Amino acid sequence: MSNPVFFTPEGTLNGLRPGDSFVLDGSEAKHAVTVKRLEVGESVDIVDGAGTRLVGSVTAAGQGSLTVLAVDVREEPQPAVRLVLVQALAKGDRDELAVETATELGIDAVVPWQSERSIVRWKGERAAKSHAKWQSVAAAAAKQARRAWIPEVRAAVDGSGLASAVAAADLAIILHEDAKRPLRDVLEDWNGRTSHGGAGAAREVLLIVGPEGGISPREVTKLSDAGAVTALLGHHVLRSSTAGPAAVVLASDILGRW
């Protein structure tokens, strides 16, 4: 079984080497000691959410702190193709469920999208609180999945903002029930044409998911004009909480991320 994971702020693991000691404190240490009840000698991973992972052994577990002896410290690079979920705001907790599941499956970033047909609206104080909630959901899911990276939750966008993001992406895919081409074909064709960019040629793919009422024809036209393509995920209509994670699975396989 993999080691339990605890987060520390980005940069706090910098410069550590095998044989060094690291002291985890704050809420994560409290969780490790009082909830997980970790004891001396147990193995743990400490990650900074930005790709650094310390694999170590507990040498002291006190009230409010956990001391870990580093056995290995390593940098886990991001994949050559980054997947970004553009998730339309949805009622209930369906958008948060999409973020949670997509994070467990390996999404690299999330973009909240205020689409025309979104019932939920992020305005004023609610916008800041909702964005913070998505960040919290992504962090918790990354911890559950033992990830060294916490997906970035980018600023919310409206239709114009999303069109700009589409224009800047290497590939932007609208998951749409009326699309003619299967998502598999779109991804395989694009990957075959662009996979010879050489080292350092990082690429980014947007997976765009609409709200409960679907993406409006006007939005499809606007995003297509900006460079997006439509793709059919399957023969059945999926919920807004399901479509994104399902696309992440397929894309991760086709693009060699898994």
Side-chain angles (χ1 to χ4, degrees):
M1 183 176 178
S2 58
N3 294 338
V5 165
F6 298 95
F7 284 118
T8 186
E10 182 178 350
T12 54
L13 297 178
N14 291 354
L16 289 177
R17 298 289 184 269
D20 291 342
S21 287
F22 176 78
V23 178
L24 180 71
D25 55 18
S27 60
E28 286 290 89
K30 182 177 180 180
H31 182 74
V33 175
T34 64
V35 178
K36 301 294 286 187
R37 297 186 180 279
L38 294 183
E39 299 179 350
V40 172
E42 293 192 73
S43 297
V44 297
D45 286 5
I46 309 295
V47 301
D48 69 352
T52 304
R53 183 186 300 270
L54 181 157
V55 180
S57 177
V58 176
T59 57
Q63 192 168 19
S65 69
L66 189 78
T67 304
V68 178
L69 177 66
V71 175
D72 185 24
V73 182
R74 55 179 179 262
E75 298 293 327
E76 299 183 8
Q78 291 189 314
V81 181
R82 287 170 50 83
L83 296 179
V84 178
L85 173 62
V86 178
Q87 178 67 47
L89 305 185
K91 63 183 180 181
D93 61 354
R94 295 201 177 278
D95 46 15
E96 294 174 8
L97 180 58
V99 173
E100 178 181 58
T101 309
T103 296
E104 292 177 8
L105 293 168
I107 201 74
D108 298 296
V110 180
V111 179
W113 173 33
Q114 185 75 69
S115 71
E116 290 182 7
R117 292 178 175 173
S118 288
I119 297 173
V120 174
R121 296 284 156 180
W122 282 13
K123 293 181 180 179
E125 257 185 51
R126 178 174 185 173
K129 289 181 179 178
S130 297
H131 188 272
K133 181 64 182 299
W134 279 36
Q135 289 179 314
S136 177
V137 168
K143 186 174 182 179
Q144 168 66 33
R146 313 292 202 265
R147 292 184 59 173
W149 287 93
I150 299 175
E152 171 193 9
V153 179
R154 298 177 181 173
V157 297
D158 57 11
S160 296
L162 180 53
S164 297
V166 164
D170 296 285
L171 174 66
I173 302 173
I174 305 168
L175 302 178
H176 200 283
E177 60 184 295
D178 292 333
K180 303 302 181 185
R181 297 189 68 200
L183 177 59
R184 175 177 292 278
D185 290 354
V186 172
L187 288 168
E188 288 179 342
D189 288 351
W190 176 80
N191 195 42
R193 287 185 282 104
T194 63
S195 59
H196 305 294
R203 298 170 290 162
E204 189 165 280
V205 175
L206 304 187
L207 300 170
I208 303 171
V209 177
E212 303 93 318
I215 302 174
S216 73
R218 179 168 54 185
E219 287 175 316
V220 173
T221 298
K222 185 173 184 177
L223 296 176
S224 296
D225 289 345
V229 297
T230 59
L232 184 65
L233 183 55
H235 297 295
H236 306 292
V237 178
L238 302 179
R239 292 184 182 274
S240 59
S241 58
T242 309
V248 171
V249 170
L250 184 61
S252 294
D253 181 30
I254 293 172
L255 301 177
R257 290 164 50 98
W258 284 6

